[in-house]
């Protein structure tokens, strides 16, 4: 992400910008980071500051592989919409990262059960004041083709906040096979892909548990979307 932001308009003709939002467990992220390392891929891992995700040893391991580390912030939802407290907390959490790794970019955690969108902080404050160069939703161009695994499948309708604000048309894919086909077809030249390491399982048992959880969560989310509209 930092590389993308720093490139400005000097981007390559074809590229994939890949980001991982580490919501649940640092261990899952580590597994995926290793797989990418094997394929020579560098991506960005955004960590929440919760106990299971903010694991300094793992964060440093992933950084050593050549991946970028980012901060998955949710301070406005954590402080229930108190902007002053939220920006103080943001500053503290930025320091937490800077003690253990480089930090240049951030990504909002779309806390589904909270009515606060932590990106709203930037209506009153500027993340650049914290030495940061980019925010994963706000610092990307509208011509990027955004693909996220939030919800079920790709770019699901059960998705409250995970899209680029103001961007309307986007390439549509349903399954991961479709996405692979689209990449191979060279029909579009850029891909901005967001993955959640906890959504990718390697055993049938893991998958079954995950589907049950998702089913419960998505029915809750659908209600929220209906209410807010
Ligand atoms: Zn998240």
């Amino acid at each position: 992400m930092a590389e993308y932001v720093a490139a400005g308009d000097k981007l390559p003709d074809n590229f994939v910008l890949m980001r991982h939002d580490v919501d649940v467990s640092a261990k899952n992220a580590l597994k995926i980071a290793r797989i990418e390392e094997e394929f020579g891929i560098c991506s960005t891992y955004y960590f929440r500051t919760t106990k299971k995700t903010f694991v300094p040893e793992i964060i440093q391991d992933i950084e050593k592989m050549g991946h970028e580390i980012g901060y998955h912030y949710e301070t406005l939802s954590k402080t229930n919409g108190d902007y002053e407290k939220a920006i103080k907390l943001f500053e503290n959490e930025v320091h937490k990262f800077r003690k253990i790794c480089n930090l240049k970019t951030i990504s909002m955690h779309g806390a589904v059960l909270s009515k606060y969108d932590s990106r709203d902080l930037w209506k009153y404050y500027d993340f650049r004041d914290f030495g940061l160069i980019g925010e994963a939703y706000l610092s990307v161009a509208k011509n990027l083709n955004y693909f996220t695994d939030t919800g079920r499948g790709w770019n699901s309708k059960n998705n409250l906040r995970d899209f680029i604000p103001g961007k309307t048309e986007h390439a549509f894919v349903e399954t991961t096979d479709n996405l692979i086909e689209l990449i191979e077809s060279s029909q579009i030249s850029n891909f901005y892909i967001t993955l959640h390491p906890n959504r990718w399982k390697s055993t049938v048992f893991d998958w079954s548990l995950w589907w049950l959880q998702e089913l419960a969560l998505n029915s809750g989310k659908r209600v929220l979307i209906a209410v807010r509209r």
Side-chain angles (χ1 to χ4, degrees), residues 86-151:
I87 200 70
K88 285 226 169 78
L89 183 59
F90 182 87
E91 187 173 24
N92 289 342
E93 294 191 336
V94 162
H95 280 304
K96 243 178 118 163
F97 278 90
R98 292 241 162 90
K99 272 185 203 154
I100 61 160
C101 62
N102 280 310
L103 182 71
K104 290 181 180 159
T105 67
I106 53 173
S107 140
M108 174 273 301
H109 172 64
V112 285
L113 300 174
S114 166
K115 64 176 173 176
Y116 299 102
D117 184 327
S118 289
R119 283 172 297 200
D120 288 344
L121 268 179
W122 314 125
K123 291 178 181 164
Y124 304 97
Y125 303 97
D126 190 345
F127 55 80
R128 290 170 199 86
D129 293 343
F130 300 89
L132 299 160
I133 63 167
E135 204 279 348
Y137 295 93
L138 306 177
S139 308
V140 295
K142 301 272 185 288
N143 68 354
L144 288 190
N145 298 291
Y146 190 57
F147 300 90
T148 172
D149 64 357
T150 291

Side-chain angles (χ1 to χ4, degrees), residues 21 23 72 109:
D21 286 351
D23 282 350
H72 201 32
H109 172 64

